[in-house]
Amino acid sequence: MRFEVLGTFSISSGSGSVPLHGRMRRTLLGVLLVRANTFVPVNVLTEALWDSKWEPRAVPKLHWHVHKLRQALPEGDRLTFDNGGYRLEVHPGELDVETFETLAGQALKTADPAQRASLIRQALTHWHGAPYEGLDVPLLSDETMRLSEHRLVLLEELYQAELELGRHASAAVELADLVRRQPLRQRAQYLLMDALWRAGRTSEALAAYRRAFRVSVDQLGLEPGPELRLLERRILAGEVAGAGAHRAPALLHRAR
């Protein structure tokens, strides 16, 4: 079986796609996948399905939803009950989140920028939208936030690698789009300024700083962090682009 939750929620097997109808069933599967290969207590599942609201027949209703999910799965015997909870057995390589995070972990461990960029791009091919289809359940919402943050960190590492490879102009284009969508991420702002500077577009790099300054002051009431201010001073001082350290500082990912 193959489980995909990074965007469209889907199950597939050798015989093709497996339909999964109903929000309750998708929520149940989502929680079981977040806790794959461990027994999830019945009370955790009922709270997820009924949003912690009192439901007089929660337990028998849960058993019914589990029964219907087991029927829908190509290998229903993988969904078992024991120790007061349900467990979904997921084999290595079957869950797109696992593949995404495995590739990401390999990328972050390599010092070679070309290999790092290649692995990150492979990881990002598994990302097709908001994880778990935006199911508004605390446990799934927390996982969605974690994965979304991980993706943004990977994007920043990708563009760092691109700068190390000398791909300043193309990195600047993609970073400008990232900054438009995530204006409070200071590392992205730093990388955009650095990419423009290295590409010989000094005035645009300084304009990017001014935009970062306005956003930080307007939305947070704070000036940008010291790393961005130092980079602006280096540009204004006429330093040679790329001189010194080649990696962006380990900034907090959001403005402070």
Side-chain angles (χ1 to χ4, degrees), residues 32-102:
L32 290 169
L33 287 172
V34 168
R35 303 277 184 87
N37 299 315
T38 61
F39 284 98
V40 185
V42 164
N43 68 299
V44 172
L45 293 170
T46 56
E47 286 178 12
L49 291 180
W50 287 280
D51 194 24
S52 301
K53 296 173 184 173
W54 184 74
E55 167 57 50
R57 291 180 48 77
V59 173
K61 285 184 176 181
L62 170 64
H63 294 326
W64 183 83
H65 283 295
V66 168
H67 171 69
K68 299 302 288 185
L69 177 58
R70 190 180 282 125
Q71 285 185 324
L73 292 172
E75 299 175 40
D77 58 349
R78 291 216 213 162
L79 179 49
T80 57
F81 180 84
D82 200 0
N83 301 322
Y86 285 98
R87 173 182 181 270
L88 178 60
E89 181 183 352
V90 178
H91 297 167
E94 290 186 332
L95 179 59
D96 60 352
V97 170
E98 178 200 357
T99 305
F100 169 78
E101 296 202 300
T102 297

Side-chain angles (χ1 to χ4, degrees), residues 1 3 7 34 45 81 91 103 106 131 143 151 155 158-159 167 171 177 180 213 217 225:
M1 287 191 291
F3 302 96
V34 168
L45 293 170
F81 180 84
H91 297 167
L103 289 167
Q106 292 171 357
E143 178 68 355
R151 173 180 172 271
L155 284 171
L158 170 63
Y159 301 133
R167 300 167 185 166
D177 181 61
R180 276 193 294 271
F213 185 94
V217 170

Side-chain angles (χ1 to χ4, degrees), residues 1 16 37 44 48 61 76 99 102 108 120 136 170 179 186 225 231 244 248:
M1 287 191 291
N37 299 315
V44 172
K61 285 184 176 181
T99 305
T102 297
L108 297 178
I120 291 173
D136 189 18
S170 59
V179 165
Q186 288 211 0
L231 182 57

Side-chain angles (χ1 to χ4, degrees), residues 170-186:
S170 59
V173 172
E174 295 188 39
L175 279 161
D177 181 61
L178 176 60
V179 165
R180 276 193 294 271
R181 290 181 283 110
Q182 300 288 335
L184 294 178
R185 292 190 73 85
Q186 288 211 0

